[in-house]
Amino acid sequence: MTKSAIKPLALIVGVGDATGKAVCTELASHYRLAMVARSTKVIDPLAASLTQAKAYPCDVTNRDAWVSTLKEIRAEMGLPDYILVNTEGGGWGDYTQIAIADFSNSFEVNVVSLLLLIQTLFPDTETKTQLSHNCRIVISSSPAAYLSIPLFLGIAPSRAAQRVLAETLDTAINDVDFCILSIDGAIDEPNMRKAYPQKDNDFFIKPTAIAKHIRELFEDQTFDRNAKISTSSN
């Protein structure tokens, strides 16, 4: 296969059974896929069913393992053309109920792992690669990255820090562009269905709709740095 015929590489970090799986399925026809998740439950079957897709099991809060996995991906598949950061860490409850361990872990998941990803894959302010465009990074986020309300107390600080880190890195690195994708609503997956048992189908944002939106962000001529999807746009 000639270099021009090689499909672009998409790195999907945080492949669960809802959004992450839908994104990988949406992208599979036109991208090579490097799929990262703590468990092999989803990524191993996906790797077996999709063409040019490889599973990389890793807990991104294990810093050494995460750096090693990123180096392995770059050595085996090359530098990603596109990256989706679909990690989630945090807790729910008022300020007296939030476990400090969960609160601390949310920064490891949402912030520290992102900085390690950038430091490992893009050690210079210019990537000096043969990519035909800047690497586009979409961070799957929520209104918690912008709104300081009691409901979001367990996750808003780390989501806001993740957003500020991405916006700062966006100006610091010439060849990498960031988008914060705010998913405003409940995603249609079992835990959310259990949390809102009285809601009908229209209340939930479908993973396939999110996946299509992410592909559009990757491929549109203009890269939207602050994007949003909600039930109304589903």
Side-chain angles (χ1 to χ4, degrees), residues 3-38:
K3 187 169 185 177
S4 60
I6 297 175
K7 294 179 182 178
L9 175 63
L11 168 59
I12 313 299
V13 184
V15 181
D17 206 24
T19 302
K21 181 178 180 180
V23 170
C24 291
T25 303
E26 174 71 24
L27 298 180
S29 297
H30 297 89
Y31 296 80
R32 294 177 297 127
L33 298 174
M35 304 178 296
V36 176
R38 284 179 297 177

Side-chain angles (χ1 to χ4, degrees), residues 135-157:
C135 176
R136 290 185 170 185
I137 300 179
V138 174
I139 296 176
S140 175
S141 188
S142 73
Y146 301 91
L147 300 177
S148 299
I149 61 176
L151 176 65
F152 296 150
L153 186 60
I155 192 171

Side-chain angles (χ1 to χ4, degrees), residues 179-210:
C179 166
I180 303 296
L181 173 60
S182 179
I183 301 175
D184 188 5
I187 299 174
D188 193 357
E189 51 91 16
N191 288 335
M192 285 298 178
R193 286 282 185 172
K194 186 181 296 185
Y196 299 100
Q198 305 304 320
K199 300 294 185 179
D200 59 25
N201 286 334
D202 292 339
F203 175 79
F204 299 94
I205 304 175
K206 302 299 183 286
T208 52
I210 298 173

Side-chain angles (χ1 to χ4, degrees), residues 15 20 46 51 74-75 82 95 103 109-110 114 132 145 149 155 170 175 186 193 212 226:
V15 181
L46 273 177
T51 59
R74 182 161 184 172
Y82 305 94
Y95 75 95
F103 189 75
V109 173
N110 296 330
L114 175 60
S132 61
I149 61 176
I155 192 171
D170 191 70
D175 300 332
R193 286 282 185 172
K212 290 178 181 177
N226 291 283

Side-chain angles (χ1 to χ4, degrees), residues 45-224:
L46 273 177
S49 64
L50 302 176
T51 59
Q52 298 188 59
K54 186 166 182 179
Y56 292 90
C58 181
D59 182 347
V60 299
T61 66
N62 183 329
R63 298 179 185 181
D64 290 340
W66 180 219
V67 169
S68 177
T69 298
L70 290 167
K71 289 180 178 178
E72 183 181 1
I73 291 169
R74 182 161 184 172
E76 294 181 349
M77 303 190 75
L79 188 69
D81 301 83
Y82 305 94
I83 300 173
L84 171 66
V85 176
N86 188 48
T87 56
E88 177 80 288
W92 297 98
D94 67 34
Y95 75 95
T96 65
Q97 299 172 322
I98 297 170
I100 296 301
D102 291 341
F103 189 75
S104 176
N105 185 68
S106 73
F107 282 87
E108 286 287 334
V109 173
N110 296 330
V111 186
V112 176
S113 69
L114 175 60
L115 182 57
L116 284 173
L117 181 150
I118 299 303
Q119 289 179 335
T120 305
L121 294 183
F122 308 100
D124 303 309
T125 56
E126 295 187 18
T127 60
K128 300 180 178 67
T129 70
Q130 299 302 310
L131 298 180
S132 61
H133 58 83
N134 288 1
C135 176
R136 290 185 170 185
I137 300 179
V138 174
I139 296 176
S140 175
S141 188
S142 73
Y146 301 91
L147 300 177
S148 299
I149 61 176
L151 176 65
F152 296 150
L153 186 60
I155 192 171
S158 65
R159 278 299 191 193
Q162 182 186 53
R163 173 181 60 80
V164 172
L165 175 62
E167 290 172 350
T168 306
L169 289 168
D170 191 70
T171 63
I173 309 174
N174 293 330
D175 300 332
V176 180
D177 296 329
F178 290 82
C179 166
I180 303 296
L181 173 60
S182 179
I183 301 175
D184 188 5
I187 299 174
D188 193 357
E189 51 91 16
N191 288 335
M192 285 298 178
R193 286 282 185 172
K194 186 181 296 185
Y196 299 100
Q198 305 304 320
K199 300 294 185 179
D200 59 25
N201 286 334
D202 292 339
F203 175 79
F204 299 94
I205 304 175
K206 302 299 183 286
T208 52
I210 298 173
K212 290 178 181 177
H213 195 62
I214 289 170
R215 182 172 178 182
E216 289 172 358
L217 288 170
F218 281 169
E219 298 178 352
D220 280 355
Q221 185 173 0
T222 301
F223 189 43
D224 190 351

